[in-house]
Amino acid sequence: MLIRPRRNRKSAAIREMVEETTLTTKDFIFPLFLLEGTNKKVEVDSMPGIYRFTLDLMLKEIEECLNMGIKAFDVFPVVDEKYKDKMATKSADPNFFYIKALKEIKSKFPEACIMTDVAMDPYSSDGHDGIVDENGNILNDETLDVLADMALAQAETGIDIIGPSDMMDGRVEYIRDALDENGFENTSIMSYCAKYASAFYGPFRDALDSAPKSGDKKTYQMNPANKHEAMIEAELDAQEGADFLMVKPALAYLDVIHLLKENNELPIAAYNVSGEYSLIKAAAEKGWLDGDATMMESLLSIKRAGADVILSYFAKEAAQILRS
């Protein structure tokens, strides 16, 4: 045989030399869950190894991660039920613990990239990403003002990236205009442009206690059966001023990640979501899988599909392996 592909696999040195995809800590954004109060660290039952932190302990967690090479963090608020209402009013309150915490995080770690989430569900008594009318409909255009106010409150803390995860039509342009008109031209938008109505979000909703009180999110999140619809969403969000385009979830939608990467000039992000994390963790605890090897293979597959940025709860564990 003249052609023997195995020759390029015969040693670790040669395999590494011809390796097409390389995973590094620079690829990661680490999602973190913020609690109100002090000195609390509470594990998420459905996400072994993932915790909700109060600000004092989150600052220590961020410092530890920065020392490991993780430079970007997506901070989500755990909002007590007493703060929730139909209009998510606490989301734009400068005195709310989440907004105050963002300012302190960015002040303490100016070198870190801090991302925030824009959607009503953590603050909404209805648990939906938009305003719910008396008939249970999610109101698109009326929600945009709430999202813009939320984005402005977050931008004023000095954070780097706004992440609209609500899937309302036109929200990227609405938020971009609001940011620009108020002097935040340099605040980036990472649009959840292809966010699917997925069963893989369960543990995340457990972590934030943000599940819908009634109905589901299928009228605004995308149908898992559709791939080319993601192209429509991506094109619109790019035209409206997005700086990154995100696919969520990641592992079940590698084809969508690849499609967007092949057809867009903007960086592509992928959210390796809570259910994908918990599946691997549960199987590893049972001894059915090698947890570390499966974790690294799954992260590599997301990057190989075309993701420039990976939001993952595995970020810290993966960083430890990459450093060693």
Side-chain angles (χ1 to χ4, degrees):
M1 286 181 278
L2 296 176
I3 300 172
R4 290 182 181 269
R6 284 184 57 187
R7 283 194 287 260
N8 285 346
R9 305 175 202 147
K10 66 184 178 184
S11 71
I14 292 176
R15 289 194 297 272
E16 290 173 3
M17 186 167 58
V18 300
E19 192 170 74
E20 298 175 22
T21 305
T22 304
L23 195 67
T24 77
T25 55
K26 293 184 290 185
D27 299 320
F28 297 136
I29 296 178
F30 190 22
L32 296 171
F33 300 124
L34 180 69
L35 281 171
E36 187 177 24
T38 58
N39 197 33
K40 295 178 187 175
K41 179 181 178 181
V42 182
E43 189 171 26
V44 180
D45 289 340
S46 54
M47 300 177 71
I50 296 299
Y51 297 87
R52 308 175 186 96
F53 298 96
T54 50
L55 176 61
D56 52 335
L57 299 183
M58 183 174 285
L59 292 173
K60 294 179 180 178
E61 178 74 359
I62 291 173
E63 184 174 19
E64 184 178 340
C65 290
L66 285 169
N67 290 333
M68 297 171 63
I70 300 170
K71 300 179 180 180
F73 306 87
D74 193 357
V75 182
F76 294 89
V78 182
V79 180
D80 192 278
E81 201 68 30
K82 67 185 178 185
Y83 295 126
K84 298 181 181 183
D85 58 37
K86 289 188 71 67
M87 298 301 293
T89 52
K90 283 296 183 183
S91 66
D93 182 349
N95 295 312
F96 193 49
F97 81 95
Y98 176 62
I99 301 298
K100 291 167 70 175
L102 292 174
K103 190 171 185 177
E104 187 166 345
I105 291 169
K106 191 60 188 172
S107 175
K108 184 171 178 61
F109 302 111
E111 75 277 21
C113 174
I114 305 300
M115 177 174 170
T116 55
D117 184 73
V118 170
M120 286 182 62
D121 56 330
Y123 315 90
S124 167
S125 53
D126 293 303
H128 276 283
D129 294 23
I131 299 170
V132 183
D133 71 9
E134 63 276 7
N135 298 313
N137 300 309
I138 312 301
L139 303 179
N140 191 97
D141 295 10
E142 293 84 344
T143 297
L144 300 183
D145 282 323
V146 178
L147 300 178
D149 289 344
M150 189 187 312
L152 274 176
Q154 294 173 1
E156 286 168 354
T157 68
I159 57 91
D160 303 276
I161 301 175
I162 298 288
S165 65
D166 55 285
M167 289 299 288
M168 298 296 116
D169 291 339
R171 90 274 201 213
V172 172
E173 183 174 12
Y174 209 88
I175 291 170
R176 182 75 271 161
D177 287 346
L179 292 173
D180 290 356
E181 288 166 7
N182 287 274
F184 297 104
E185 299 92 345
N186 291 325
T187 303
S188 303
I189 294 177
M190 182 181 291
S191 167
Y192 289 59
C193 75
K195 182 178 181 181
Y196 285 85
S198 172
F200 285 96
Y201 303 148
F204 176 89
R205 291 173 183 166
D206 178 31
L208 292 190
D209 189 23
S210 62
K213 300 299 187 292
S214 62
D216 55 43
K217 300 190 176 187
K218 293 181 179 179
T219 65
Y220 48 102
Q221 294 180 356
M222 285 180 56
N223 184 344
N226 294 355
K227 178 171 69 173
H228 294 288
E229 185 182 6
M231 292 287 291
I232 299 172
E233 294 284 0
E235 184 176 355
L236 285 171
D237 287 359
Q239 290 173 354
E240 291 176 18
D243 301 287
F244 305 79
L245 302 173
M246 186 199 295
V247 177
K248 181 180 180 182
L251 291 176
Y253 298 88
L254 295 176
D255 58 329
V256 179
I257 296 170
H258 182 70
L259 182 68
L260 293 194
K261 182 62 177 178
E262 292 295 299
N263 290 278
N264 288 277
E265 298 301 321
L266 291 176
I268 303 300
Y271 202 141
N272 182 207
V273 298
S274 58
E276 296 169 340
Y277 172 90
S278 297
L279 281 174
I280 292 174
K281 282 293 184 180
E285 286 183 1
K286 287 284 190 179
W288 295 341
L289 290 174
D290 180 324
D292 286 349
T294 308
M295 167 183 70
M296 298 307 290
E297 184 178 342
S298 65
L299 291 170
L300 191 66
S301 75
I302 296 168
K303 188 167 183 185
R304 190 187 66 241
D308 302 289
V309 179
I310 303 172
L311 290 87
S312 178
Y313 303 98
F314 284 125
K316 189 176 181 182
E317 292 178 71
Q320 290 171 332
I321 290 174
L322 290 169
R323 289 183 75 198
S324 63

